[in-house]
């Protein structure tokens, strides 16, 4: 057995592996996502980000007023500040996209070449594949790499751990959204890798401090890309490291500084402050906005407590789409009970972050139709790999063959949802007529949807 020294105790790693072995499932998954990224899966959500990327590169502005695709896109995900229109999404991910699109544009590829349908397809297709491959597939693969590294802390056969890693990738929304441009997949990779660094590495030596800096950079970058999930995980990791070692906590903050500064600067170009667009609801209510039309107007139809049930086990529910996560509370509880468990501190953090996010998305948001036309609860994707880690931990403890059969069946059901979602990530499950989805939806625990938009 290998051990990793921590300031509070010694973490036992019963199934140590090298970095190369952890990279193998990640490489398989990443290559599959790049292959599956064509044809493009588009939505108003994607178009608003793509128009920002195009505007940064071609016009040097975050404003999308002059984007040639503004009207054809029909994107509702826009906000108005002053007399300029902007995407209502956080600006760091589009800025990263601009860094990728810039060389493509210099090489002659244009995101929106509207001279003819043929020129649009010939130019847009390669641009989309490169953006999705570099900024979505790679972070998604990193999430699997980090997950496989963390499975070292669970006493299961190495081959089984490899299969669990791949099974999670192809049986969760990590597959569904890994083929389309979105912020949640990026955050999943960054946050899972940051969490793995803190969980597995020594926080007291110089190398540990460097890893704390790296974890801070990754977690804060994830927070600027996905504010609720990333912010919750960032705070949790900071508290964890401060409890371990003040030096590690300071190093984490130092690593966090640059992404936060970049976000603050870019966001100020849009809202005039580091605060996100969500803090300025009046900016979404401009004349002509989708959100002031009859169909875009929000009406509360059920109590928020019932929406929490819907969020978890409804037709689009988090556990409905990834049912293997039903095992996670068992794994978390067992890890917390045994004080010497390698995953105890991580279980406390993940349980706390999960509770905070479920409360926020049920009771803290202005409107509960925030998921729009998307497949499943994509907003919880950033923490799903962390939660799955504890589902796997439960599998270690529940050794009876019946539990293992249930675990496999749940993973297979997750694959049905993941593959169906991958085919069209931007359509709601309850509005789909796919045969696999129709069959799977017969087993939904709470078969009601409050979505009416």
């Amino acid at each position: 057995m290998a051990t990793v020294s921590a300031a509070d105790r010694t973490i036992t790693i019963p199934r140590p592996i090298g970095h190369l072995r952890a990279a193998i499932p990640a490489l398989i998954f990443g290559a599959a996502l790049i292959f599956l990224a064509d044809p493009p899966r588009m939505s108003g959500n994607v178009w608003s980000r793509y128009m920002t990327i195009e505007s940064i590169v071609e016009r040097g502005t975050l404003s999308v007023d002059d984007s040639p695709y503004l009207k054809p896109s029909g994107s509702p995900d826009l906000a108005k500040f002053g007399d300029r229109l902007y995407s209502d999404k956080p600006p760091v991910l589009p800025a990263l996209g601009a860094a990728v699109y810039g060389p493509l544009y210099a090489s002659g590829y244009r995101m929106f070449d509207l001279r003819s349908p043929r020129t649009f397809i010939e130019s847009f297709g390669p641009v989309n594949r490169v953006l999705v491959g570099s900024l979505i597939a790679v972070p998604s693969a990193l999430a699997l790499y980090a997950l496989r590294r963390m499975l070292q802390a669970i006493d299961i056969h190495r081959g089984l751990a490899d299969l669990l890693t791949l099974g999670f990738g192809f049986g969760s929304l990590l597959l569904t959204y890994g083929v389309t441009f979105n912020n949640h997949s990026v955050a999943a990779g960054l946050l899972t890798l940051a969490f793995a660094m803190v969980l597995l590495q020594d926080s007291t030596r110089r190398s540990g401090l460097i890893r704390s800096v790296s974890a801070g950079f990754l977690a804060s970058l994830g927070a600027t890309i996905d504010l609720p999930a990333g912010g919750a995980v960032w705070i949790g990791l900071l508290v964890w490291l401060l409890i371990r070692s003040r030096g590690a906590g300071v190093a984490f903050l130092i690593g966090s500084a640059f992404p936060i500064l970049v976000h603050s600067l870019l966001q100020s170009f849009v809202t005039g402050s580091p605060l996100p667009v969500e803090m300025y609801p009046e900016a979404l209510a401009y004349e002509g906005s989708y959100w002031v039309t009859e169909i875009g107007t929000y009406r509360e139809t059920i109590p928020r407590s019932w929406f929490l049930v819907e969020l978890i086990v409804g037709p689009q529910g988090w556990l409905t789409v990834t049912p293997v996560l039903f095992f996670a509370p068992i794994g978390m509880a067992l890890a917390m009970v045994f004080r010497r468990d390698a995953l105890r501190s991580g279980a406390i953090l993940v349980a706390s972050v999960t509770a905070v996010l479920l409360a926020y998305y049920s009771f803290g948001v202005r409107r509960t139709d925030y998921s729009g036309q998307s497949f499943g609860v994509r907003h919880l994707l950033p923490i799903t790999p962390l939660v799955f880690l504890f589902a796997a931990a439960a599998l270690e403890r529940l050794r009876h063959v019946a539990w293992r059969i249930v675990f496999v069946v749940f993973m297979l059901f997750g694959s049905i949802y993941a593959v169906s979602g991958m085919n069209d990530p931007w359509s709601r499950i309850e509005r789909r007529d796919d045969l696999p989805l129709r069959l799977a939806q017969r087993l939904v625990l709470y078969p009601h949807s409050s979505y009416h938009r």
Side-chain angles (χ1 to χ4, degrees):
M1 291 187 182
T3 60
V4 177
S5 298
D8 50 351
R9 57 188 166 79
T10 299
I11 298 176
T12 300
I13 304 298
R15 299 284 184 170
I17 60 169
H19 292 279
L20 179 59
R21 179 156 189 163
I24 291 174
L27 290 171
I28 293 172
F29 187 62
L33 292 181
I34 294 172
F35 175 77
L36 294 167
D38 192 60
R41 280 78 158 181
M42 308 306 295
S43 71
N45 188 299
V46 180
W47 289 129
S48 75
R49 288 190 169 97
Y50 273 12
M51 287 189 290
T52 304
I53 292 170
E54 181 245 8
S55 293
I56 292 172
V57 172
E58 299 190 25
R59 287 174 293 281
T61 178
L62 289 164
S63 168
V64 300
D65 289 271
D66 297 322
S67 174
Y69 211 69
L70 179 59
K71 289 185 178 179
S73 74
S75 175
D77 297 327
L78 302 172
K80 195 166 190 175
F81 290 89
D83 59 351
R84 308 288 287 180
L85 283 175
Y86 299 87
S87 169
D88 64 2
K89 309 303 177 188
V92 171
L93 181 57
L96 293 173
V100 174
Y101 175 52
L104 291 172
Y105 179 68
S107 301
Y109 289 97
R110 292 188 61 191
M111 185 173 287
F112 305 126
D113 189 338
L114 303 184
R115 289 176 296 173
S116 70
R118 180 178 178 179
T119 58
F120 176 81
I121 293 172
E122 289 178 348
S123 190
F124 178 77
V127 170
N128 176 73
R129 184 185 285 272
V130 172
L131 285 170
V132 171
S134 59
L135 293 178
I136 308 302
V138 170
S140 299
L142 283 176
L144 288 198
Y145 167 78
L147 175 62
R148 181 61 189 92
R149 291 283 296 165
M150 290 189 291
L151 288 174
Q152 296 177 93
I154 301 174
D155 192 11
I156 55 177
H157 191 276
R158 292 181 179 87
L160 176 59
D162 295 334
L163 291 176
L164 285 174
T165 303
L166 280 172
F168 171 74
F170 288 101
S172 69
L173 293 187
L174 205 63
L175 173 67
T176 297
Y177 286 96
V179 297
T180 186
F181 199 84
N182 74 101
N183 62 322
H184 308 295
S185 295
V186 185
L190 296 170
L191 298 176
T192 307
L193 189 55
F195 182 90
M197 286 182 172
V198 175
L199 177 72
L200 298 174
Q201 301 300 342
D202 181 356
S203 67
T204 59
R205 301 174 185 172
R206 182 175 179 274
S207 60
L209 292 176
I210 292 173
R211 291 188 181 99
S212 294
V213 170
S214 300
F217 178 85
L218 293 169
S220 65
L221 183 58
T224 65
I225 289 173
D226 191 316
L227 301 179
V233 173
W234 183 86
I235 292 171
L237 290 175
L238 175 61
V239 172
W240 187 1
L241 283 172
L242 285 172
I243 292 173
R244 275 188 178 183
S245 160
R246 183 179 298 177
V250 171
F252 184 84
L253 288 172
I254 291 172
S256 301
F258 183 70
I260 293 174
L261 288 174
V262 171
H263 163 79
S264 299
L265 178 63
L266 292 174
Q267 191 68 75
S268 296
F269 289 144
V270 177
T271 62
S273 79
L275 298 177
V277 170
E278 285 79 1
M279 302 301 293
Y280 300 89
E282 67 279 2
L284 302 172
Y286 60 90
E287 184 179 356
S289 168
Y290 168 84
W291 306 110
V292 297
T293 65
E294 178 64 23
I295 192 173
T297 301
Y298 174 68
R299 298 175 182 83
E300 195 106 351
T301 58
I302 61 173
R304 292 294 180 108
S305 57
W306 282 109
F307 179 75
L308 173 60
V309 176
E310 183 181 322
L311 181 73
I312 299 173
V313 293
Q316 294 253 123
W318 190 27
L319 301 187
T320 300
V321 173
T322 316
V324 73
L325 299 183
F326 273 107
F327 283 85
I330 301 173
M332 291 180 194
L334 290 172
M336 292 181 201
V337 167
F338 296 99
R339 296 184 61 85
R340 300 295 298 178
D341 194 297
L343 300 176
R344 185 171 186 265
S345 297
I348 295 171
L349 187 153
V350 174
S352 301
V353 166
T354 300
V356 167
L357 290 178
L358 288 175
Y360 171 75
Y361 281 119
S362 299
F363 304 103
V365 293
R366 289 187 299 109
R367 46 193 297 165
T368 59
D369 60 346
Y370 51 81
S371 59
Q373 294 294 327
S374 58
F375 188 99
V377 186
R378 58 186 167 87
H379 297 78
L380 295 174
L381 174 58
I383 65 166
T384 299
L386 305 181
V387 176
F388 176 78
L389 173 67
F390 294 95
L395 184 64
E396 176 198 5
R397 304 279 186 177
L398 303 173
R399 296 184 179 275
H400 195 282
V401 66
W403 286 115
R404 300 197 170 192
I405 292 173
V406 172
F407 194 97
V408 171
V409 170
F410 279 3
M411 289 198 76
L412 291 175
F413 263 88
S415 297
I416 292 173
Y417 280 106
V419 173
S420 298
M422 177 200 67
N423 294 329
D424 187 5
W426 302 107
S427 61
R428 293 182 68 86
I429 294 171
E430 68 267 40
R431 300 189 176 188
R432 296 271 293 271
D433 197 37
D434 312 41
L435 178 60
L437 286 180
R438 289 209 314 269
L439 295 176
Q441 287 279 285
R442 292 182 179 180
L443 302 175
V444 172
L445 295 178
Y446 182 76
H448 307 288
S449 174
S450 61
Y451 185 84
H452 296 292
R453 176 150 51 95

